[in-house]
Amino acid sequence: REELGGPKNEAPDETGMRVNKKYSCLPAEEKGIHIINIRAIEDIGYDQHESTLLNSLSKNPDADCKYGLYFRDGKRKVDYILVYHYKKSSSGRALARRTHHNDTSARSTKQDHPLPGKSVQLEMGESEPPADSHEDDKRFRREEYEGNLVEAGLELEHDEDTKIHGVGFVKIHAPWNVLCREAEFLKLKMPTKKMYQINQTHGLLKKINSVIQKITEPIQPKVAEHKPQTVKRLSYPFSREKQHLFDLSDRDSFFDSKTRSTIVSTVWKGEGRKKETTLLNKRRKCGKYGITSLLANGVYSAAYPLHDGDYEGENVEPNDRKLLCEEWASYGVFYKYQPIDLVRKYFGEKIGLYFAWLGVYTQMLIPASIVGIIVFLYGCATVDENIPSMEMCDQRNNITMCPLCDRTCSYWKMSSACATARASHLFDNPATVFFSVFMALWAATFMEHWKRKQMRLNYRWDLTGFEEEEDHPRAEYEAKVLEKSLRKEHKHKEKHRYFPEEAANKWRQRVKTVMAGVKLTDKEKLTWKDRFPAYLTNFVGIIFMVGLTFAIVFGVIIYRISTAAALAISSTPSGRSSVRVTVTATAVIINLVVIIILDEVYGCIARWLTQIEVPKTDKNFEERLIFKAFLLKFVNAYTPIFYVAFFKGRFVGRPGDYVYIFHSFRMEECAPGGCLMELCIQLSIIMLGKQLIQNNLFEIGIPKMKKFIRYMKLKRRRSLDHEEHVKKKQRYEVDYNLEPFAGLTPEYMEMIIQFGFVTLFVASFPLAPLFALLNNIIEIRLDAKKFVTELRRPVAVRAKDIGIWYNILRGIGKLAVIINAFVISFTSDFIPRLVYLYMYSENGTMHGFVNHTLSSFNVSDFQAGTAPNDPMDLGYEVQICRYKDYREPPWSENKYDISKDFWAVLAARLAFVIVFQNLVMFMSDFVDWIIPDIPKDISQQIHKEKVLMVEVFMREEQGKLQMLETWKDKDKKKGENCNNHSPRLSGSHSGSLSSCHSYPVDV
């Protein structure tokens, strides 16, 4: 009737909404509707014929609603979507469809609902066929919940006649009064009518900025929000009493789609309010259900805001999503800046801050990459001039080295390790120390630069006065508290009388109700005694996971030792030189595969450990989850690297007195050129492999596979009806097929681990910043494409910083200084070379350094059964072999004891660690102190805004005073006129006088 232009047959209900008279959800007895008659009409088939006739005569309803972006009236915008699965019954299918297709679907909260699983007696004595009690319970919960949403002022519209069979959608619209009310509760800063000029630079700085703008114009995105602004609107927290201050000329665009979805989600979560009158608290007091528990229990299968429209196609209307896809989520614009303001406008501040941080981090990697390349090129240019590597490669030295394993391994010449020694110089040279100091200062500068950038964004996004509201307790926490209080009550009753079965059932029902989101009093709370089992489980679980990581690394060590021994037996003399590289590369690949698998396992375990702790608020839950996941993944990713850097070759022993594992395998030794080359191989393969596999497989391959599987399932369910195939999908149907948003924790975690690779062991791999830069250029566009095209639109969340991630970054930066000091001091040969150059060199050069670092061993001192099986493998009899260590020679009185050279080198190493660490820490703190957290121009603009706001309110108060004075003058003049008037009748004098003072005054 509505589509044909007939009477709508609607009337306002108690909430001020339009409710269809015929299909209201009030009981049938009150409205005079005979359900049996409607069903009889449906059984005859007349109702179906009527609907077919109406559909043939009316226009396409999807044209007005823009395929799901608006309600069917084409005026009310869809702000949020709730999705649920349903099973249609043969008797009530048409009635349910009519009821659900109602424009507002208002359900009175005073209505008496049937109990789940019970049948409803109809007027003619017929009974409805028995339905599934579980599905009936879900429907009952949905009706209760949606009734509360309607009571809060939201408007709903149902749609079950969709292309996705068995799936129903609830479209939610927030009217203007609800938007204003919630915006005031949330203290959202909205632009006022007052505009002011932003302070501009003058003189030389202005010319420099103009030149920079012209140079960078090709790499700026073609987005209006990204253009530099000279004028800004004054923002103020929204107030319904001061609506005249705001620019309400276009109410439809005053609250954008991001803000509207935030407000709707806030209404049913009860966030942003401190009073006990929120919808959620009302619902909990009445024993009803919360959205979180409804999603967890399967009452609703999804809840999400809609995307603005399609992003590809010829006839697609312009929208923010399409603009983001063209100027941000495309690999063809990888060289351009990100339109951060548009990202924030579409996805909210929290996601906008993540991409802003990722952009700043990527930009800061450019100078680090340039310096790293220079350090690497310096190593390449000086490799032929490096005296130690030249001595190792000189065939005339004829240095015979001791066997690398017992019995099966034979003696070998140092010149066979020439390639490893030359390669080590590329990463182990004097420039490495400079690069380590540079990267420590780079990390401090990056943190300061981000803080300043964050303040600029807070100013532009009107978050300068934003304070996070107190989180409401989680449903799980409240359930535990109620369970604790009921347990106390149960024990108290047991002391006095027997606790009957009926009371036990009542107790279980109360616990079940609380799990659905019942509000509790603050009398009870969980103490450390209540959480002690969970804390103990967390401690044991984390220790077990760390031990598992150590066990896997130990297993890889056994693999390296046994494989090296096996290859030494089977390889030819020419192939034995490549045994070390082969074993190292294969072991690193095994480590990489294990790290990637354990990353996923540790993520799930960290979530489970956090859940059993039962944190009170969502913020506490997120912070604890992040800390546990980071701890486990940090240990998982860096344990193999720590082993190579600080433990490999440290506890080997010496020939004739080696340290054994399981009485058969010797501990690994470092190469003659040091372990730095192996550390470089380990770091590069794990870093690059982890990024490539995670980016290509987990972030691209797996989501596409899930999407394809979901598409195939829907294709199987789809009807063969031609009309269903031709019908275009609604916006909410298309978005439902997208992957749900899982949070920013995986995105941050990936970048934080990469930040550790770049800073912690950068002394061994100067090219790490370069590979991180190349990865991030792809990562930004990959994440952008995922957010725009692959994921459902997340709920916009306000945030003024990146939270706990900033503290983790600072901790990694401080730890990087210590680790790099130890890498340079103990892993590389930088300190031994300095000690030799200034203490032992005869001519002030590095000639003789290799011989100085090698000790001698008499082969006659081998333990029984450990000498090589083929002592003549080199073609001559060996009496003295060499090994890398500082020990007394066999002809000394204290043979094989640690020599004084070892203690001199150790003292120099420890002194270097102390000096390097304190010097770099001081320089980092100096950089932190000298760079202010808040840019000067931003602080001036914030002060200017405060002054302007005071002026606005002063003018408003002056206007009110002038208006009151004007009314007083009018009142005084009116009184004088009445006093000067001579009444004709004395009886009418008082009446006329009173009438002079009774004029209406509107304030």
Side-chain angles (χ1 to χ4, degrees):
R1 294 172 64 88
E2 197 171 320
E3 291 168 354
L4 291 173
K8 297 182 181 179
N9 198 18
E10 292 182 351
D13 69 346
E14 6 176 319
T15 60
M17 301 172 53
R18 304 297 296 177
V19 183
N20 190 290
K21 287 183 178 180
K22 185 176 180 181
Y23 299 120
S24 171
C25 344
L26 293 176
E29 300 82 28
E30 299 181 16
K31 305 300 283 187
I33 297 178
H34 298 283
I35 300 177
I36 186 64
N37 294 340
I38 294 177
R39 287 180 177 170
I41 293 174
E42 292 171 1
D43 293 338
I44 295 172
Y46 178 76
D47 184 70
Q48 183 180 1
H49 175 74
E50 182 187 16
S51 62
T52 305
L53 178 64
L54 288 176
N55 288 334
S56 62
L57 294 176
S58 63
K59 64 178 181 178
N60 184 10
D62 293 339
D64 290 335
C65 69
K66 295 184 180 180
Y67 294 98
L69 288 175
Y70 289 82
F71 277 18
R72 284 192 175 84
D73 56 12
K75 299 178 181 178
R76 291 173 291 176
K77 187 176 178 63
V78 177
D79 299 318
Y80 220 89
I81 290 291
L82 296 177
V83 187
Y84 60 92
H85 291 273
Y86 67 94
K87 292 181 181 179
K88 291 183 179 180
S89 59
S90 58
S91 58
R93 183 180 304 170
L95 180 62
R97 182 179 299 180
R98 285 173 175 240
T99 304
H100 288 156
H101 280 189
N102 196 347
D103 225 19
T104 58
S105 185
R107 292 177 173 84
S108 174
T109 55
K110 300 178 182 179
Q111 178 183 355
D112 296 328
H113 295 280
L115 294 175
K118 293 187 178 181
S119 59
V120 181
Q121 297 297 329
L122 302 178
E123 293 182 4
M124 298 294 293
E126 293 186 8
S127 61
E128 189 177 303
D132 185 3
S133 60
H134 186 59
E135 293 296 326
D136 203 14
D137 181 57
K138 288 184 178 180
R139 185 178 68 254
F140 170 75
R141 292 190 183 190
R142 286 198 296 268
E143 290 174 352
E144 289 288 320
Y145 180 69
E146 291 166 14
N148 285 322
L149 294 182
V150 172
E151 184 183 354
L154 299 177
E155 299 178 4
L156 311 182
E157 184 179 81
H158 286 74
D159 187 6
E160 289 185 355
D161 188 17
T162 63
K163 212 168 181 183
I164 307 176
H165 291 281
V167 176
F169 296 89
V170 182
K171 294 173 278 187
I172 301 176
H173 168 76
W176 175 257
N177 60 337
V178 175
L179 294 174
C180 294
R181 182 189 70 204
E182 297 299 324
E184 184 174 354
F185 280 127
L186 291 172
K187 299 179 182 179
L188 293 180
K189 276 191 172 183
M190 305 301 294
T192 62
K193 298 177 182 178
K194 176 67 176 178
M195 303 182 70
Y196 66 96
Q197 293 285 337
I198 298 177
N199 294 337
Q200 300 294 323
T201 56
H202 301 283
L204 182 61
L205 288 177
K206 185 177 181 181
K207 294 180 180 179
I208 294 175
N209 290 336
S210 62
V211 172
I212 293 175
Q213 288 179 4
K214 290 180 181 179
I215 295 175
T216 59
E217 187 175 357
I219 60 176
Q220 300 291 343
K222 299 178 181 178
V223 176
E225 287 81 357
H226 195 75
K227 295 180 180 179
Q229 298 179 352
T230 58
V231 179
K232 188 178 185 294
R233 285 188 178 272
L234 188 64
S235 298
Y236 185 74
F238 187 81
S239 173
R240 286 173 288 182
E241 297 180 356
K242 295 181 173 59
Q243 290 191 33
H244 58 278
L245 296 178
F246 303 93
D247 185 11
L248 302 178
S249 57
D250 186 7
R251 289 193 174 187
D252 294 335
S253 61
F254 184 73
F255 295 106
D256 55 12
S257 58
K258 177 261 299 182
T259 307
R260 296 176 72 96
S261 65
T262 304
I263 289 175
V264 172
S265 64
T266 303
V267 168
W268 66 45
K269 288 183 180 179
E271 293 175 355
R273 303 193 191 181
K274 296 182 180 179
K275 298 181 180 179
E276 293 297 323
T277 58
T278 63
L279 174 64
L280 185 60
N281 291 335
K282 282 183 179 179
R283 192 163 57 246
R284 288 176 173 176
K285 288 178 182 178
C286 298
K288 303 302 187 293
Y289 315 101
I291 183 62
T292 306
S293 60
L294 293 177
L295 289 171
N297 295 330
V299 178
Y300 290 103
S301 57
Y304 53 89
L306 291 179
H307 281 290
D308 281 356
D310 293 327
Y311 60 89
E312 57 184 358
E314 298 179 357
N315 300 323
V316 176
E317 296 183 0
N319 57 74
D320 289 342
R321 189 188 186 193
K322 183 180 180 182
L323 186 59
L324 283 172
C325 188
E326 293 173 352
E327 295 295 328
W328 182 51
S330 175
Y331 294 108
V333 294
F334 71 92
Y335 58 92
K336 289 187 177 182
Y337 286 101
Q338 298 183 88
I340 293 298
D341 292 326
L342 184 59
V343 174
R344 172 254 180 181
K345 177 185 175 184
Y346 193 79
F347 291 109
E349 286 79 7
K350 193 169 185 178
I351 295 177
L353 281 173
Y354 163 71
F355 282 102
W357 174 84
L358 184 56
V360 170
Y361 172 47
T362 304
Q363 289 177 6
M364 289 294 294
L365 283 173
I366 295 176
S369 303
I370 294 174
V371 177
I373 293 173
I374 293 174
V375 171
F376 179 74
L377 294 178
Y378 171 81
C380 295
T382 59
V383 67
D384 293 331
E385 301 174 1
N386 185 35
I387 297 175
S389 61
M390 291 172 59
E391 289 183 349
M392 290 182 63
C393 296
D394 192 356
Q395 298 284 347
R396 296 171 297 179
N397 285 339
N398 196 24
I399 299 177
T400 303
M401 303 297 294
C402 295
L404 297 176
C405 60
D406 294 340
R407 295 188 302 275
T408 56
C409 297
S410 184
Y411 305 103
W412 56 285
K413 290 191 174 183
M414 177 172 281
S415 58
S416 62
C418 176
T420 306
R422 290 174 62 86
S424 296
H425 179 72
L426 301 178
F427 307 99
D428 186 6
N429 53 68
T432 304
V433 181
F434 161 76
F435 189 57
S436 299
V437 176
F438 171 81
M439 288 304 296
L441 297 178
W442 173 87
T445 307
F446 163 61
M447 300 305 297
E448 294 303 311
H449 178 46
W450 165 244
K451 282 196 292 187
R452 292 170 62 85
K453 177 70 173 180
Q454 191 171 255
M455 283 304 303
R456 289 187 180 276
L457 293 177
N458 286 340
Y459 167 71
R460 274 162 46 188
W461 296 349
D462 297 323
L463 294 172
T464 50
F466 169 71
E467 294 182 1
E468 294 184 0
E469 300 289 344
E470 183 180 356
D471 281 345
H472 294 277
R474 300 171 66 244
E476 292 82 355
Y477 176 83
E478 294 181 339
K480 284 288 184 181
V481 173
L482 181 66
E483 186 178 352
K484 177 183 176 181
S485 61
L486 293 179
R487 194 181 298 114
K488 288 183 178 180
E489 181 182 351
H490 172 57
K491 291 180 179 178
H492 178 72
K493 288 183 177 180
E494 278 186 339
K495 292 180 180 178
H496 298 85
R497 60 185 176 85
Y498 176 72
F499 192 59
E501 183 66 23
E502 296 178 0
N505 293 333
K506 184 178 180 181
W507 178 77
R508 296 190 191 101
Q509 185 64 30
R510 289 179 67 184
V511 173
K512 183 179 178 182
T513 305
V514 172
M515 287 302 294
V518 179
K519 178 69 178 177
L520 296 173
T521 61
D522 296 332
K523 295 180 180 178
E524 292 284 350
K525 64 179 180 179
L526 296 182
T527 62
W528 70 270
K529 294 181 180 179
D530 301 320
R531 289 195 173 102
F532 181 75
Y535 289 154
L536 182 61
T537 305
N538 272 261
F539 178 76
V540 173
I542 291 175
I543 293 297
F544 176 77
M545 293 298 110
V546 173
L548 176 64
T549 303
F550 288 165
I552 292 174
V553 172
F554 184 74
V556 174
I557 294 172
I558 299 297
Y559 161 80
R560 291 159 65 110
I561 295 173
S562 57
T563 306
L567 291 177
I569 298 174
S570 59
S571 300
T572 60
S574 60
R576 290 175 187 172
S577 59
S578 60
V579 169
R580 189 183 297 274
V581 177
T582 303
V583 172
T584 301
T586 55
V588 171
I589 293 174
I590 295 173
N591 272 326
L592 173 63
V593 174
V594 172
I595 286 172
I596 292 175
I597 294 174
L598 287 183
D599 261 357
E600 302 301 317
V601 176
Y602 286 167
C604 300
I605 291 175
R607 179 169 291 275
W608 176 73
L609 291 176
T610 309
Q611 287 174 347
I612 64 175
E613 277 189 25
V614 195
K616 185 175 182 180
T617 63
D618 289 331
K619 184 179 180 180
N620 292 339
F621 180 87
E622 183 180 9
E623 290 181 351
R624 295 187 184 191
L625 173 62
I626 289 172
F627 178 76
K628 291 183 182 66
F630 171 75
L631 178 62
L632 293 176
K633 293 188 177 185
F634 181 88
V635 172
N636 181 42
Y638 295 115
T639 299
I641 302 174
F642 270 95
Y643 164 72
V644 175
F646 302 120
F647 297 99
K648 185 178 179 181
R650 308 295 173 193
F651 311 101
V652 178
R654 61 170 179 83
D657 189 20
Y658 283 113
V659 177
Y660 290 91
I661 303 175
F662 303 132
H663 304 286
S664 58
F665 296 109
R666 276 165 42 184
M667 290 292 293
E668 288 184 287
E669 299 181 40
C670 289
C675 283
L676 202 67
M677 184 61 194
E678 295 184 34
L679 178 61
C680 175
I681 296 174
Q682 186 100 5
L683 182 64
S684 59
I685 292 180
I686 291 179
M687 178 181 175
L688 298 179
K690 196 170 184 295
Q691 290 178 351
L692 291 175
I693 293 177
Q694 283 187 339
N695 287 350
N696 296 326
L697 181 62
F698 292 160
E699 295 194 19
I700 299 178
I702 292 180
K704 288 188 177 295
M705 188 182 301
K706 288 182 179 179
K707 187 178 179 181
F708 178 74
I709 294 173
R710 200 160 48 243
Y711 170 76
M712 295 302 295
K713 287 183 179 178
L714 292 175
K715 192 174 182 181
R716 290 179 183 177
R717 296 178 185 175
R718 191 175 297 166
S719 171
L720 297 176
D721 187 7
H722 177 71
E723 192 175 310
E724 291 288 337
H725 282 284
V726 172
K727 187 170 110 177
K728 182 179 178 181
K729 280 188 177 183
Q730 304 286 345
R731 177 78 263 154
Y732 44 85
E733 295 178 89
V734 177
D735 287 0
Y736 177 67
N737 293 331
L738 299 177
E739 195 72 17
F741 175 65
L744 290 172
T745 301
E747 311 297 336
Y748 272 115
M749 190 68 69
E750 180 184 351
M751 290 295 104
I752 296 297
I753 296 296
Q754 183 204 82
F755 182 77
F757 283 125
V758 170
T759 56
L760 292 179
F761 297 95
V762 73
S764 62
F765 190 36
L767 295 180
L770 174 63
F771 289 112
L773 173 64
L774 298 177
N775 173 81
N776 287 5
I777 291 174
I778 301 173
E779 179 73 17
I780 290 176
R781 307 303 164 179
L782 178 66
D783 286 347
K785 194 173 185 64
K786 181 173 65 175
F787 272 84
V788 174
T789 64
E790 300 291 337
L791 297 180
R792 295 174 190 161
R793 188 175 182 177
V795 179
V797 179
R798 291 192 301 167
K800 61 179 180 179
D801 52 37
I802 59 176
I804 192 176
W805 298 109
Y806 180 81
N807 297 329
I808 293 176
L809 285 170
R810 286 187 64 88
I812 292 178
K814 300 294 184 182
L815 184 62
V817 177
I818 302 173
I819 290 180
N820 280 308
F822 277 94
V823 167
I824 295 171
S825 181
F826 287 91
T827 307
S828 72
D829 285 337
F830 177 75
I831 300 301
R833 288 174 185 175
L834 285 181
V835 172
Y836 176 79
L837 184 63
Y838 292 104
M839 292 182 62
Y840 300 102
S841 177
E842 297 178 357
N843 52 6
T845 63
M846 294 301 296
H847 288 286
F849 171 74
V850 174
N851 187 60
H852 177 74
T853 59
L854 297 177
S855 299
S856 300
F857 177 75
N858 193 334
V859 298
S860 61
D861 294 333
F862 271 122
Q863 293 180 356
T866 61
N869 295 331
D870 186 10
M872 300 294 294
D873 185 59
L874 295 178
Y876 56 88
E877 184 180 359
V878 178
Q879 295 181 351
I880 299 294
C881 65
R882 310 294 297 274
Y883 61 98
K884 190 171 183 180
D885 204 348
Y886 292 100
R887 291 183 179 271
E888 296 292 340
W891 51 83
S892 174
E893 294 180 0
N894 302 318
K895 64 176 183 179
Y896 306 133
D897 286 348
I898 295 176
S899 64
K900 62 178 183 179
D901 299 340
F902 171 82
W903 300 111
V905 172
L906 179 61
R909 283 174 167 170
L910 294 177
F912 176 82
V913 169
I914 296 173
V915 173
F916 181 89
Q917 177 181 340
N918 287 278
L919 177 63
V920 175
M921 287 287 188
F922 170 76
M923 296 173 68
S924 300
D925 293 339
F926 179 75
V927 170
D928 191 357
W929 173 74
I930 201 173
I931 300 177
D933 295 343
I934 304 177
K936 186 177 180 180
D937 58 331
I938 296 300
S939 60
Q940 291 176 351
Q941 291 294 112
I942 294 174
H943 178 70
K944 184 177 180 179
E945 281 193 358
K946 292 180 180 179
V947 174
L948 290 175
M949 186 55 65
V950 171
E951 291 180 359
V952 168
F953 284 113
M954 289 295 293
R955 290 177 183 176
E956 185 180 3
E957 293 298 325
Q958 290 176 0
K960 289 180 181 179
L961 291 174
Q962 291 177 0
M963 188 179 298
L964 290 174
E965 290 176 358
T966 303
W967 287 336
K968 287 181 180 179
D969 293 342
K970 289 182 179 180
D971 189 20
K972 187 176 182 181
K973 291 180 181 179
K974 192 73 174 178
E976 292 176 355
N977 292 335
C978 292
N979 291 331
N980 294 332
H981 179 67
S982 301
R984 296 178 182 178
L985 298 174
S986 61
S988 62
H989 176 72
S990 60
S992 61
L993 184 61
S994 62
S995 65
C996 292
H997 295 276
S998 63
Y999 62 88
V1001 177
D1002 294 333
V1003 180

